[in-house]
Amino acid sequence: MTEPVVEPVDEVAWPVAVKLRERIGTALDGALGGAPEVVSVVPGRDVAIDWCCEGQAWVRIVRTYPSLPGEFPAGRGTALDEGADPGAFWTVELGAGTARCAPSPDDQGNPPTAAQLERSAAELADDAGRIRRTVLCELQKLPAVEAVWIGEQSSVGPSGGCVGQEVLVAVMTNICVCEEDG
């Protein structure tokens, strides 16, 4: 597993992303497709799938926004002036997924067999199930997490010999970004 080299000054999104990455790495240790070679928090809107044949798993920070418990996962703007509502929580939306080698034609140009295609689909379904259980059962155990909302889990690719899946999840945190005055 790839560990971050530095700790950014982000007490809201980064710690949740790292904890989810750690738990997904553990959940994928016994995966049908094998433990991924690379498990990391990745930058950007789209994931650079560079390690699919070795197995790649990721968590990406999609967006962070304020919300209220009764309105979660919907976002809201929050005024920052005197008398403003201090009851906003931070929601962190994450994407968590895996990529594996896609079945491809053999050296004679023959397409993948039905068994190869089904094995690939089974490996991704196994990854998806492990990630879904991690999101649903493990994220709520984190002290900074108030609520979890799971969104769609969708396919990625095939493209460039890689195929994968990703689930979107929103986590409402109880993190205060302003230090309290004594």
Side-chain angles (χ1 to χ4, degrees), residues 40-126:
S40 62
V41 177
V42 299
R45 186 185 66 134
D46 298 316
V47 177
I49 300 174
D50 297 321
W51 293 86
C52 69
C53 289
E54 294 82 1
Q56 180 175 351
W58 65 83
V59 173
R60 64 187 178 93
I61 300 169
V62 176
R63 63 188 179 138
T64 304
Y65 55 90
S67 63
L68 290 176
E71 299 170 3
F72 173 78
R76 75 185 296 244
T78 302
L80 298 176
D81 58 357
E82 189 69 34
D85 178 8
F89 289 72
W90 284 101
T91 295
V92 180
E93 188 176 321
L94 304 163
T98 58
R100 305 280 183 177
C101 231
S104 58
D106 64 19
D107 292 339
Q108 289 74 42
N110 299 310
T113 66
Q116 290 170 321
L117 293 170
E118 194 160 314
R119 172 67 188 209
S120 177
E123 289 176 1
L124 290 177
D126 183 65

Side-chain angles (χ1 to χ4, degrees), residues 5-17:
V5 177
V6 296
E7 284 297 319
V9 181
D10 175 10
E11 54 280 300
V12 176
W14 183 255
V16 175

Side-chain angles (χ1 to χ4, degrees), residues 130-141:
R130 290 167 185 273
I131 289 174
R132 199 169 35 252
R133 276 190 300 283
T134 300
V135 166
L136 292 170
C137 305
E138 297 297 323
L139 274 179
Q140 291 183 338
K141 295 177 183 176

